[in-house]
Amino acid sequence: RIGTAALAVQVVGSNWPKPHYTLLVTGLCRFQILQLLKEKPYPVAEVQQLDRLEQFTNGHKSEEELGELSEQFYKYAVQLVEMLDMSVPAVAKLRRLLDNLPREALPDILTSIIRTTNQEKLQILDAVRLEERFKMTIPLLVRQIEGLKLLQKTRKSKQDDDKRIVAIRPNRRITHGSITEDEEEEEDHDDVVMLEKKIRTSSMSEQALKVCLKEIKRLKKMPQSMPEYALTRNYLELMVELPWNKSTKDRLEIRAARIVLDNDHYAMEKLKKRVLEYLAVRQLKNNLKGPILCFVGPPGVGKTSVGRSIAKTLGREFHRIALGGVCDQSDIRGHRRTYVGSMPGRIINGLKTVGVNNPVFLLDEVDKLAKSLQGDPAAALLEVLDPEQNHSFTDHYLNVAFDLSQVLFIATANTTATIPPALLDRMEVIQVPGYTQEEKIEIAHRHLIPKQLELHGLTPQQIQIPQVTTLGIITRYTREAGVRALDRKLGAICRAVAVKVAEGQHKEAKPDRAEVGEGEDCKEHITEDAKPESISDTADLALPPEMPILIDFHALKDILGPPMYDMEVSERLNQPGVAIGLAWTPLGGEIMFVEASRMEGEGQLTLTGQLGDVMKESAHLAISWLRSNAKRYQLTNASGSFDLLDNTDIHLHFPAGAVTKDGPSAGVTIVTCLASLFSGRLVCSDVAMTGEITLRGLVLPVGGIKDKVLAAHRAGLKRIIIPQRNEKDLEELAAPVRQELTFVLAACLDEVLNAAFDGGFAVKARLEHLNSKL
């Protein structure tokens, strides 16, 4: 029935996300409840004041009355405070209070500070007489002093920290009522002390240590209710977790590295050679900076997976950063801590995730970065990917330099056209071309088929896919530079076989024959195969499928449907005015048909197929060169005139009209197509060509020769016309591809026309066409 009268000084808090208020009060005096008048909406009672307010001003009288009891209490209080760390602001303030406040106020103040139970505090509050209050408080002080002495004996090495943790609660306003839980405040204070110890024992740079110590001092003086308290603490925890000097040891055995790379990836000789070169130099020089590589090639050729294999080879941690569609430079450099919800960039976050300062960072799809109002992330990567600058990379969130020179950066891209020149100049570009058919077959049987069998729960004893079948999938159902579509087709075959295996395990009737794979009608397949061993009694049709299930061409047709691509291109070259060109796309090389027709008109040239400006100019160049050399090659229009556009309209069309086409490499193809149209001769069906032309009839070099040649090889073409100055690019082709193809190196259009037509396209003598009129 005894309480404390107080004045409310301040109320702080809000109702969102849940009601939370902090009340600051100043105690006045004790009172006793005489009668409770009402309880709702809040208690109202008649009270009696127990101690007088005037006694705080009459200190001399209190000292004379209490005498030795007051002096004894004061001596114990001073002894307790002097055992604490005086550098703590709360301890220094308490020491000043002991000298300035009246002695009769000290029991209440000391009881609210030292470790006591709630029951002991209520007993002190019930003690109205000063003498009784002193007698009850002195044992509590003695108990606290003895506890401190015991703690100092057991924890001498941590004396300063433990004084602040055990003896006194964090700095707070002294009131008669306790608002928050003491245990939570002590735990938070303990966390701050441990955080400071981690900062001092970490291996961060001198500049970073200076910044962290400054922030930890601010954190100690900062109330926990301030929003900046959590931001500062998160910042310090990130600084402690970053791997400033922690690194992994590289595995520098070149033979072992070559074995790992060969087991993980087939072909890719350029990439393997570059990694082995890096390992060799690392053996000679330990502090070698990490190279910055950029793998450029079509999708599905293994650019991303080879980055993971490189990390495995080196024994380093691997982290992938997807940059496709990133349009904010803060994703790279982080946000400044002045913003709400600020966070470090992806580079620093990646280092925190892997926990070492020399990982392999894969910057995936670096060619698909975008610009926006938030800045250009490609410009932010300039510092990251510059070997002369990244040793002091400064993230906006950290605001201190971090060394990235030991990180091995690998960027991937489908094309270099969309990469800013300044960024491209900082990277070592390694072209990753598409695979040949032989390489795809090896990749399928070494990696793809075992992976699909494992994913679908099958074993080699249940399914067999011969290399001939794999070649049929590559040539008839896929047409790509990589192997992703091939992987999907193999997955479809495994799913169909899984159905047959499951049906054979649960049913003993109505399965299909094993020899025809996944065919729906076994009798039809037997008729098509016309093999004696395939003919059996009808009773065999009711047996489960025999193992292993053999996948042949008939099974492919049943599972994957009819072939998607026809390898015979000669059917499209059955009339004059059609030629085959070679084009390069970010997805790899492609063959491109060019069709031309003529009709009576006013001498106009019509171009269709969604062509770019450069390709339109190539068409005008081609018609101009043919018109200037029409008499030489005896090219005439429908009326027999050497002026090819005299009363004649020409229409040039590039099929696949929904695809945008541009570039100068279609010049020779357009010339050949128009020469076929006006001469009435067919272009050889196994010839493809590429090259830029000039008005004088020269053939200039073009890019993407390897991808274009592989596209022609996939399409079954045998002879390829390329510019003479592109002969050096043929060295990048695999030996089997060079052996199966015939290359014609052309320096001028005369050589192109002679190679494109059966029997040549030689200049005809004029005398052969002169008829006597006599």
Side-chain angles (χ1 to χ4, degrees):
R1 308 285 290 182
I2 296 179
T4 303
L7 291 177
V9 178
Q10 186 180 15
V11 179
V12 180
S14 65
N15 288 324
W16 188 88
K18 60 181 181 179
H20 177 75
Y21 292 93
T22 301
L23 180 64
L24 181 64
V25 298
T26 299
L28 298 178
C29 64
R30 290 174 170 81
F31 66 82
Q32 182 180 11
I33 299 177
L34 299 179
Q35 181 181 1
L36 187 64
L37 301 181
K38 64 176 183 178
E39 295 183 1
K40 296 183 179 180
Y42 49 85
V44 177
E46 180 180 352
V47 300
Q48 177 184 2
Q49 182 177 345
L50 298 180
D51 50 358
R52 295 176 299 176
L53 300 178
E54 293 81 3
Q55 69 180 352
F56 291 99
T57 60
N58 192 2
H60 298 289
K61 183 178 180 181
S62 300
E63 291 183 9
E64 294 175 358
E65 293 177 353
L66 297 176
E68 296 180 0
L69 197 59
S70 174
E71 288 297 329
Q72 184 181 8
F73 179 87
Y74 178 77
K75 181 182 67 174
Y76 283 125
V78 172
Q79 181 182 356
L80 174 64
V81 174
E82 288 180 350
M83 293 178 68
L84 306 179
D85 187 3
M86 298 301 296
S87 63
V88 179
V91 178
K93 184 176 181 180
L94 180 59
R95 184 64 183 87
R96 292 193 300 268
L97 289 176
L98 293 179
D99 296 333
N100 297 332
L101 289 179
R103 297 289 175 86
E104 59 268 18
L106 295 181
D108 293 334
I109 295 175
L110 267 297
T111 305
S112 65
I113 293 177
I114 62 177
R115 281 186 176 273
T116 54
T117 63
N118 290 334
Q119 185 64 30
E120 291 173 339
K121 292 178 181 179
L122 289 176
Q123 292 176 359
I124 301 298
L125 184 64
D126 292 343
V128 179
R129 297 176 58 249
L130 281 176
E131 183 180 359
E132 183 181 358
R133 226 178 296 164
F134 277 119
K135 291 180 180 180
M136 296 178 65
T137 312
I138 288 176
L140 300 179
L141 290 178
V142 175
R143 183 182 68 184
Q144 190 69 59
I145 292 172
E146 294 298 327
L148 272 179
K149 290 181 180 179
L150 180 63
L151 189 63
Q152 289 175 351
K153 293 179 181 179
T154 57
R155 299 177 61 184
K156 291 182 179 180
S157 60
K158 300 181 180 180
Q159 182 178 2
D160 295 339
D161 296 338
D162 293 333
K163 285 179 181 179
R164 291 181 293 211
I165 297 172
V166 178
I168 187 169
R169 294 197 300 255
N171 186 18
R172 56 196 296 268
R173 302 298 291 268
I174 299 175
T175 62
H176 284 281
S178 178
I179 306 301
T180 58
E181 294 291 336
D182 299 342
E183 291 79 6
E184 295 180 0
E185 294 181 358
E186 292 169 2
E187 290 178 1
D188 291 339
H189 186 71
D190 192 12
D191 291 342
V192 173
V193 173
M194 295 300 297
L195 184 60
E196 182 179 6
K197 290 184 61 178
K198 291 181 180 179
I199 291 174
R200 294 184 181 275
T201 57
S202 65
S203 57
M204 63 180 64
S205 62
E206 183 178 353
Q207 179 188 5
L209 180 62
K210 183 178 179 181
V211 172
C212 289
L213 293 178
K214 181 180 178 181
E215 292 294 330
I216 201 73
K217 289 180 181 179
R218 293 180 61 245
L219 188 68
K220 292 179 180 178
K221 301 176 182 179
M222 198 180 302
Q224 298 182 15
S225 58
M226 288 185 63
E228 194 175 354
Y229 181 88
L231 298 178
T232 305
R233 183 165 177 171
N234 292 338
Y235 171 78
L236 294 174
E237 290 176 350
L238 174 65
M239 294 289 283
V240 170
E241 294 176 0
L242 285 179
W244 296 92
N245 284 325
K246 184 180 179 182
S247 59
T248 56
K249 186 177 180 181
D250 290 344
R251 292 200 296 262
L252 303 178
E253 298 181 5
I254 296 181
R255 291 184 179 180
R258 183 181 284 110
I259 293 174
V260 172
L261 290 175
D262 290 339
N263 291 338
D264 289 348
H265 292 275
Y266 183 75
M268 291 190 174
E269 298 302 329
K270 276 189 176 182
L271 299 185
K272 297 176 183 177
K273 179 182 177 182
R274 184 63 183 87
V275 175
L276 295 179
E277 290 173 351
Y278 173 74
L279 288 178
V281 178
R282 281 282 283 110
Q283 285 185 356
L284 304 178
K285 187 176 182 181
N286 293 329
N287 58 348
L288 178 66
K289 293 183 179 180
I292 299 172
L293 309 177
C294 181
F295 299 159
V296 179
V301 297
K303 298 186 298 297
T304 302
S305 59
V306 78
R308 188 175 287 105
S309 295
I310 290 174
K312 177 182 175 182
T313 302
L314 298 175
R316 294 190 179 189
E317 297 292 333
F318 177 79
H319 185 71
R320 175 179 172 269
I321 300 177
L323 297 179
V326 173
C327 59
D328 188 356
Q329 62 96 18
S330 297
D331 281 358
I332 307 299
R333 301 185 64 98
H335 303 82
R336 298 192 182 277
R337 286 191 291 140
T338 54
Y339 296 109
V340 177
S342 60
M343 57 190 299
R346 296 194 181 190
I347 303 296
I348 297 298
N349 264 334
L351 291 170
K352 174 187 173 183
T353 301
V354 298
V356 292
N357 65 354
N358 63 339
V360 175
F361 267 16
L362 183 72
L363 306 179
D364 214 2
E365 309 293 350
V366 74
D367 60 327
K368 296 175 179 59
L369 291 170
K371 293 183 180 180
S372 68
L373 296 176
Q374 285 75 31
D376 185 5
L381 281 175
L382 294 179
E383 182 184 3
V384 177
L385 300 182
D386 192 341
E388 302 299 328
Q389 299 181 28
N390 61 8
H391 65 276
S392 60
F393 171 69
T394 303
D395 187 272
H396 286 162
Y397 184 83
L398 295 185
N399 206 25
V400 293
F402 195 94
D403 186 8
L404 299 180
S405 60
Q406 299 303 317
V407 179
L408 174 57
F409 287 101
I410 298 177
T412 66
N414 297 131
T415 176
T416 58
T418 55
I419 302 177
L423 181 59
L424 189 63
D425 182 63
R426 284 163 165 79
M427 299 185 292
E428 180 182 346
V429 178
I430 299 178
Q431 296 290 339
V432 186
Y435 297 117
T436 63
Q437 292 181 0
E438 291 76 11
E439 291 173 344
K440 289 184 179 180
I441 293 174
E442 288 293 331
I443 292 172
H445 286 270
R446 290 189 183 189
H447 303 286
L448 301 184
I449 294 178
K451 183 187 74 172
Q452 291 295 340
L453 293 181
E454 183 180 358
L455 289 177
H456 294 86
L458 298 174
T459 62
Q461 289 73 29
Q462 295 173 326
I463 177 176
Q464 283 188 1
I465 304 179
Q467 289 194 359
V468 178
T469 304
T470 307
L471 179 61
I473 299 173
I474 294 171
T475 56
R476 295 174 178 267
Y477 292 92
T478 64
R479 183 162 290 177
E480 57 172 354
V483 292
R484 282 181 181 162
L486 175 61
D487 193 25
R488 288 192 290 268
K489 299 300 181 184
L490 293 174
I493 293 174
C494 291
R495 289 193 297 272
V497 173
V499 172
K500 296 301 177 183
V501 173
E503 288 180 349
Q505 292 177 351
H506 296 286
K507 298 180 182 179
E508 296 183 358
K510 299 181 180 180
D512 291 343
R513 282 295 306 273
E515 296 175 2
V516 296
E518 287 68 31
E520 295 180 358
D521 192 345
C522 185
K523 294 183 179 180
E524 293 180 5
H525 293 307
I526 294 174
T527 304
E528 293 177 1
D529 292 343
K531 296 181 179 179
E533 60 270 23
S534 299
I535 302 175
S536 59
D537 297 336
T538 56
D540 293 339
L541 299 178
L543 296 176
E546 298 178 2
M547 299 298 172
I549 297 178
L550 178 66
I551 305 299
D552 55 11
F553 288 106
H554 301 292
L556 285 183
K557 187 175 180 181
D558 292 332
I559 298 173
L560 303 179
M564 301 174 59
Y565 301 101
D566 189 1
M567 301 306 299
E568 188 61 43
V569 298
S570 60
E571 297 179 359
R572 301 186 64 174
L573 300 177
N574 55 4
Q575 64 179 6
V578 182
I580 302 176
L582 297 174
W584 180 90
T585 68
L587 305 180
E590 294 288 343
I591 64 171
M592 177 178 58
F593 289 88
V594 180
E595 302 174 353
S597 64
R598 61 182 178 180
M599 63 217 77
E600 295 183 359
E602 300 177 354
Q604 296 182 353
L605 176 63
T606 304
L607 302 172
T608 56
Q610 201 171 351
L611 308 181
D613 293 336
V614 178
M615 190 169 285
K616 291 179 181 178
E617 293 173 357
S618 297
H620 286 286
L621 274 173
I623 192 64
S624 297
W625 185 84
L626 286 175
R627 290 178 69 186
S628 63
N629 292 274
K631 291 183 180 180
R632 181 184 177 192
Y633 289 102
Q634 296 297 310
L635 301 177
T636 60
N637 59 11
S639 60
S641 172
F642 289 119
D643 188 0
L644 302 181
L645 293 181
D646 185 22
N647 297 323
T648 302
D649 287 349
I650 300 176
H651 187 169
L652 271 174
H653 177 64
F654 294 76
V659 180
T660 303
K661 309 171 189 67
D662 201 3
S665 60
V668 296
T669 311
I670 298 174
V671 170
T672 305
C673 176
L674 293 176
S676 171
L677 175 68
F678 289 111
S679 66
R681 300 178 60 185
L682 295 177
V683 180
C684 294
S685 60
D686 61 345
V687 174
M689 61 200 73
T690 182
E692 182 182 356
I693 62 172
T694 67
L695 205 55
R696 295 180 296 163
L698 301 178
V699 180
L700 302 182
V702 293
I705 291 296
K706 184 173 183 180
D707 290 326
K708 294 177 180 179
V709 171
L710 292 179
H713 184 257
R714 289 195 298 267
L717 301 173
K718 299 301 181 182
R719 193 160 32 142
I720 301 175
I721 303 173
I722 63 173
Q724 187 176 18
R725 291 163 60 181
N726 283 118
E727 182 179 5
K728 60 183 184 298
D729 298 321
L730 299 180
E731 298 179 0
E732 300 179 1
L733 295 172
V737 176
R738 291 201 303 267
Q739 294 175 0
E740 295 181 11
L741 298 176
T742 302
F743 296 97
V744 177
L745 304 177
C748 61
L749 287 175
D750 294 337
E751 299 176 0
V752 172
L753 295 178
N754 287 329
F757 293 91
D758 191 12
F761 202 77
V763 178
K764 297 182 180 180
R766 292 187 179 182
L767 295 177
E768 296 179 2
H769 296 278
L770 293 179
N771 296 323
S772 176
K773 295 183 180 180
L774 297 178

